[in-house]
Amino acid sequence: MKKVLIIVSFIGLLLTIIPSILVFEQFIELKSHFHLMVAGMIMWFATAPFWMKSKSLDEEESN
Amino acid sequence: MKGEAVSGGGSGSLIERLDALYEYDREPVSEKKLHGWKTFIAMFAGEHVAGTEFVLGPLMVMHGVSAKDFFLGLLVGNILAVLSWALMTAPVAVKTRLTIYWQLRKIIGPYLTIAYSAFYAVILCLLAGAMVTVAVTAISIPFGIPNPDYVAGDLIPSIPWMGLALVVGVVIAALAVLGFEKIATFSKICAPWMVLVFFAAAIAVLGKLGATSFSDFWQIANDKIFTGVPIGNNSKYTFWHVAGFAWLCNAPQHLGMSDVTIFRYAKSWTQGFASAFGMFLGHFGAWIASGILCAAFLSEGFVNPQPGAIGLYGAGIAGAISVVIAGWTTANPTLYRAGLAIQVATPNWKRWKVTFAAGAFMIFTACIPAVNANLDRIVSYNALFFVPLGAFVLMDVWVFPKLGLISNFTEKSRKLFSWPAAIAWVGSFLICFIVYGKDHLAWMKSMLNGGLPSWLDAINMDLTYLIAPEWILASLMYVGFSYYQQKSAKNTQLIAEGGLS
């Protein structure tokens, strides 16, 4: 399950950055880039909190 | 002026309260709690891609910096910042493993540490206010509320804008009261996405500036983005402004040593180099990206390149949301820390009251457009004020033993006040402030009215240029006065008796 969440998160990040390159190369319109970025944002925030661990400095590091 | 010795229990409740606030981290960090590179890389990358980046890149464009000056300045300035963390802050932190509070407490005494906390609270509220402004510039868009345009002469925002700032500020203050840790976690989750939003927005609008391939970038950067021509009444910035600002915008953290609190958890001082991830993603990549966004926005005939507007322009709704998140996640921990610092002076207040008091000041500053329009100046004053304290820490920890002087003399001699630190702090700050103000502040110009010696009058330096000389001046003054203090007859006798070793 965790692997699936990580994959979806990374697809979200790809959807955030790749459309901008496609706009620059004139493959897609700016509006499509905006829509794809929203999709990427939703995918990232819907999945990343479930697998991204965040420890405070006060906690001991295990590795 | 001599420090007052601690006698019996009469050290005053203010000091006890301050100590109690930081009681949990009084002892040096134990070996078990040390962290590796990964933690510091993530922390720096997350903390330095923030709301301020949406303001500072455009500020450089507005000040007419040229492309060569901008890129070279950022490269040199950020390398110097990384070296400051790696060669000054981290080694001290790893040697003493104390927070900045306890480090200063031992060196300059509790009274000056209280002054440090109070001033720090004010500057934190200002910075949190700047971040509320960043968030409101995006939130105002769907409501159709225009953002104040400082360049066009708006000195205060409209009433509806202030209403939004009030709502956002209250929400931020409430969240700071309810749970700072959760916000910090959320901020770390946002970081990778936010970095990409910056870059994506900039890449997407490059075409609007006339670039047809990435090989056009340098030409476009020179002709359309960093043109070398200031916009409006802004002054002209050069390589030295950019390099100085990139180096010193975080000076309180590195030269000022406040990040010893973080690096005391490092396994090795070399982990100070992890700061490169924050500097080169945030203060290099994100500043360039926001500069590009600002230039593209202006090139289409829009005016008032506020963070929300340029975020929406380059990345649509995701861009506007990233501006809100960037402002919010930066304002929140900043307000929390401001509340902690203010709590020292408000003994009977609950934490929530203190945080809301700090929040009220934050909202007030958010409603002053001049704050964000002069954010680089505010950050520079911040550096000028706090850098001497970092110099004292470095001298005390590394240089004093080599000169045969006693480190932590104030604590060991049970004084509450270090006069060498007080004179060196106020003296170095005032000298540098006057050197800057005599040419740049109208009130000081008229006050001095040519009364300065000609050699001093001939020096014309910007605020950022003065921070390195100030650091050197503060170090020399502190070492000189401390030498005098420790070699005075009374203290020599105490040292000889072995009481201060």
Side-chain angles (χ1 to χ4, degrees):
Chain A
M1 185 60 186
K2 190 179 165 186
K3 276 185 183 168
V4 174
L5 290 172
I6 293 173
I7 290 167
V8 174
S9 295
F10 278 91
I11 293 171
L13 290 183
L14 288 175
L15 279 178
T16 303
I17 189 73
I18 289 178
S20 65
I21 300 166
L22 298 178
V23 171
F24 183 69
E25 296 291 346
Q26 297 179 342
F27 287 121
I28 62 170
E29 292 293 317
L30 197 62
K31 210 167 188 179
S32 308
H33 151 70
F34 291 167
H35 292 150
L36 289 168
M37 280 192 86
V38 171
M41 177 181 71
I42 292 167
M43 288 169 82
W44 175 255
F45 284 104
T47 54
F50 298 102
W51 62 267
M52 268 185 94
K53 297 273 182 221
S54 177
K55 285 186 290 186
S56 74
L57 280 174
D58 265 334
E59 291 172 281
E60 186 184 343
E61 198 175 54
S62 55
N63 51 350
Chain B
M1 191 166 31
K2 270 225 160 115
E4 178 194 341
V6 179
S7 57
S11 55
S13 62
L14 189 67
I15 296 164
E16 286 160 12
R17 286 198 308 272
L18 184 62
D19 287 352
L21 266 181
Y22 297 95
E23 185 61 43
Y24 67 95
D25 54 19
R26 188 172 202 144
E27 297 301 320
V29 172
S30 67
E31 285 280 322
K32 282 182 185 172
K33 285 190 170 178
L34 301 185
H35 288 248
W37 280 86
K38 213 169 60 182
T39 306
F40 292 95
I41 289 171
M43 184 176 287
F44 271 91
E47 281 190 8
H48 294 276
V49 182
T52 38
E53 279 46 270
F54 279 110
V55 180
L56 295 169
L59 260 182
M60 297 295 161
V61 172
M62 302 295 279
H63 279 277
V65 67
S66 71
K68 189 179 152 200
D69 285 354
F70 189 61
F71 283 82
L72 269 180
L74 285 187
L75 187 67
V76 171
N78 283 313
I79 287 173
L80 286 171
V82 172
L83 290 177
S84 301
W85 262 299
L87 303 180
M88 294 168 93
T89 318
V92 168
V94 167
K95 185 175 162 70
T96 65
R97 301 219 177 269
L98 290 169
T99 63
I100 186 64
Y101 172 77
W102 285 108
Q103 192 69 68
L104 287 176
R105 175 81 161 74
K106 286 166 182 284
I107 293 172
I108 65 176
Y111 286 149
L112 285 179
T113 310
I114 289 168
Y116 167 84
S117 289
F119 290 125
Y120 199 45
V122 173
I123 192 73
L124 287 175
C125 285
L126 272 173
L127 294 175
M131 292 310 99
V132 170
T133 305
V134 168
V136 176
T137 60
I139 295 170
S140 63
I141 295 170
F143 294 99
I145 299 170
N147 288 307
D149 187 349
Y150 182 73
V151 174
D154 291 346
L155 296 180
I156 52 165
S158 62
I159 299 290
W161 198 98
M162 285 197 250
L164 271 187
L166 179 69
V167 172
V168 172
V170 168
V171 170
I172 286 172
L175 289 168
V177 170
L178 292 173
F180 159 70
E181 284 296 332
K182 281 181 183 153
I183 303 295
T185 304
F186 181 67
S187 169
K188 284 173 193 168
I189 290 166
C190 294
W193 171 76
M194 216 144 62
V195 173
L196 293 182
V197 172
F198 268 97
F199 294 154
I203 294 168
V205 301
L206 269 176
K208 287 179 182 285
L209 289 164
T212 52
S213 71
F214 285 107
S215 59
D216 294 341
F217 178 73
W218 191 245
Q219 191 63 41
I220 296 294
N222 274 290
D223 297 345
K224 303 273 181 68
I225 305 167
F226 305 105
T227 58
V229 181
I231 295 166
N233 293 325
N234 287 299
S235 56
K236 162 89 177 139
Y237 277 8
T238 63
F239 164 84
W240 295 106
H241 290 89
V242 180
F245 189 66
W247 178 24
L248 299 164
C249 64
N250 287 117
Q253 282 95 321
H254 47 73
L255 291 182
M257 293 279 167
S258 74
D259 270 356
V260 293
T261 304
I262 291 169
F263 279 115
R264 71 198 170 116
Y265 291 97
K267 286 177 180 165
S268 155
W269 66 269
T270 55
Q271 285 167 241
F273 285 105
S275 57
F277 285 84
M279 292 303 96
F280 284 93
L281 277 175
H283 297 184
F284 192 84
W287 287 11
I288 292 168
S290 62
I292 293 170
L293 271 173
C294 172
F297 182 83
L298 293 173
S299 75
E300 291 214 41
F302 297 116
V303 290
N304 197 18
Q306 293 292 335
I310 62 172
L312 184 72
Y313 169 75
I317 293 170
I321 290 174
S322 83
V323 172
V324 176
I325 290 175
W328 169 45
T329 53
T330 324
N332 223 283
T334 308
L335 184 66
Y336 175 83
R337 286 177 191 132
L340 197 68
I342 290 175
Q343 203 173 21
V344 174
T346 52
N348 303 319
W349 288 27
K350 301 271 186 208
R351 168 59 60 83
W352 69 269
K353 276 188 187 174
V354 174
T355 308
F356 273 109
F361 184 47
M362 171 187 79
I363 293 164
F364 174 71
T365 56
C367 292
I368 306 171
V371 170
N372 267 24
N374 294 289
L375 193 60
D376 57 334
R377 299 286 91 183
I378 291 168
V379 169
S380 300
Y381 278 118
N382 179 25
L384 197 72
F385 194 75
F386 291 111
V387 152
L389 294 161
F392 305 160
V393 173
L394 196 83
M395 293 299 119
D396 211 88
V397 171
W398 291 112
V399 179
F400 275 22
K402 291 182 172 63
L403 295 177
L405 294 174
I406 293 169
S407 297
N408 301 332
F409 182 81
T410 305
E411 183 194 52
K412 287 174 182 169
S413 58
R414 291 188 290 165
K415 292 178 192 299
L416 296 176
F417 180 77
S418 164
W419 67 262
I423 296 177
W425 185 8
V426 176
S428 60
F429 173 76
L430 279 183
I431 289 169
C432 293
F433 182 60
I434 290 168
V435 169
Y436 170 73
K438 71 181 178 58
D439 297 309
H440 299 92
L441 301 173
W443 63 268
M444 196 182 286
K445 266 187 209 174
S446 64
M447 199 173 83
L448 294 169
N449 199 20
L452 289 172
S454 56
W455 64 269
L456 184 57
D457 216 24
I459 303 170
N460 186 349
M461 290 173 91
D462 189 63
L463 206 51
T464 49
Y465 305 171
L466 282 160
I467 292 164
E470 185 202 28
W471 189 92
I472 296 168
L473 180 65
S475 300
L476 291 174
M477 287 173 83
Y478 180 63
V479 171
F481 289 130
S482 294
Y483 188 87
Y484 175 78
Q485 182 191 38
Q486 294 193 23
K487 299 300 174 190
S488 72
K490 187 181 159 193
N491 289 324
T492 310
Q493 192 185 345
L494 265 171
I495 294 164
E497 287 166 2
L500 297 179
S501 55

